[in-house]
Amino acid sequence: MATCPPGPAGARFPRRPRPGTPPTPPGTRPLDADKYENDPELEKIRRERNYSWMDIITICKDKLPNYEEKIKVFYQEHLHLDEEIRYILEGSGYFDVRDREDQWIRISMEKGDMITLPAGIYHRFTLDEKNYVKAMRLFVGEPVWTAYNRPADHFPAREQYVRFLAQTA
Ligand SMILES: [Fe+2]
C-alpha cells in the first residue's frame, strides 16, 4: 500500500458510531477488495444496478494532482444530480451525510466498503488521519462529476430526495 506523509488533522477524527448500527445486511455477501478485478459479487452489483462505468481514484498527496484543492472541494457540503457510488479498495475515509434533522452522520469507510449516496443528498468526504484512500468510482452511464454546493434546494433531484425523506418518516 502506498504511504503518504501525515497531513493536517482537524476534520479527520472518528466519531462514535450510532448505537445499534447494523452490520452488513443479512443475505449480503461481502465484497473482496483484493479481487476487485474479478469479483463475481462486484459484477453482480454492477449488473443489477447498471453501474456500467468505473475508474479508480487514489486520494493521496503524492498521487492526486491539486490534492489540497481537491480535498477542500470534497469536504464542501454539496449534492449531485446522480448517485455517487464509491467502493474502497485500500485505505479509509469518511462520508458525512445529513440526516432527517439536518445533522451530520459520519460514515466510516474502509477497505471492502461500498456506498451509494442518492441523488440530491447533501454530503461531504474527507480522508482520515491516515491520509490515503484508493477507491473505485462507479456510475450509471457516462459520469457527471458536477457538485452543487449547499444551498442547492431548487434542483428536482433535491426535491425528489426531500419527498423521499418525508415519505419514509
Ligand atoms: Fe459528492
Side-chain angles (χ1 to χ4, degrees):
M1 185 177 92
T3 54
C4 278
R12 305 182 189 178
F13 292 102
R15 292 182 189 165
R16 289 164 60 89
R18 287 188 165 193
T21 302
T24 305
T28 306
R29 247 187 271 158
L31 293 165
D32 187 345
D34 289 326
K35 296 179 182 162
Y36 70 87
E37 286 169 295
N38 192 21
D39 180 357
E41 205 60 27
L42 176 61
E43 284 309 308
K44 188 173 154 215
I45 292 169
R46 291 188 63 182
R47 208 171 40 246
E48 286 176 358
R49 297 191 60 99
N50 198 24
Y51 295 159
S52 53
W53 188 95
M54 74 84 124
D55 77 351
I56 292 171
I57 183 171
T58 301
I59 304 174
C60 171
K61 197 165 192 162
D62 299 337
K63 299 220 169 159
L64 187 68
N66 303 319
Y67 170 84
E68 299 290 350
E69 190 186 319
K70 293 259 178 65
I71 285 290
K72 282 185 195 153
V73 169
F74 294 154
Y75 200 59
Q76 184 77 38
E77 183 175 2
H78 63 273
L79 60 74
H80 306 282
L81 306 186
D82 303 281
E83 289 181 337
E84 177 169 332
I85 309 136
R86 296 290 182 272
Y87 175 30
I88 308 299
L89 303 177
E90 293 177 5
S92 49
Y94 298 115
F95 272 103
D96 293 335
V97 297
R98 293 289 189 182
D99 70 8
R100 203 183 304 279
E101 282 78 42
D102 210 29
Q103 301 300 303
W104 285 119
I105 299 172
R106 173 148 285 192
I107 303 168
S108 176
M109 297 287 294
E110 298 177 345
K111 180 178 176 179
D113 292 340
M114 179 183 281
I115 192 168
T116 298
L117 300 175
I121 190 173
Y122 284 122
H123 65 279
R124 61 188 183 186
F125 175 80
T126 183
L127 294 173
D128 59 22
E129 62 274 21
K130 298 189 193 96
N131 294 305
Y132 174 75
V133 77
K134 178 179 173 184
M136 183 182 292
R137 304 187 293 184
L138 297 133
F139 213 88
V140 178
E142 280 302 301
V144 180
W145 304 120
T146 312
Y148 298 95
N149 290 341
R150 191 171 186 174
D153 296 329
H154 60 290
F155 287 106
R158 176 64 189 169
E159 291 166 0
Q160 190 177 344
Y161 180 70
V162 170
R163 275 200 303 276
F164 164 78
L165 272 189
Q167 284 165 7
T168 56

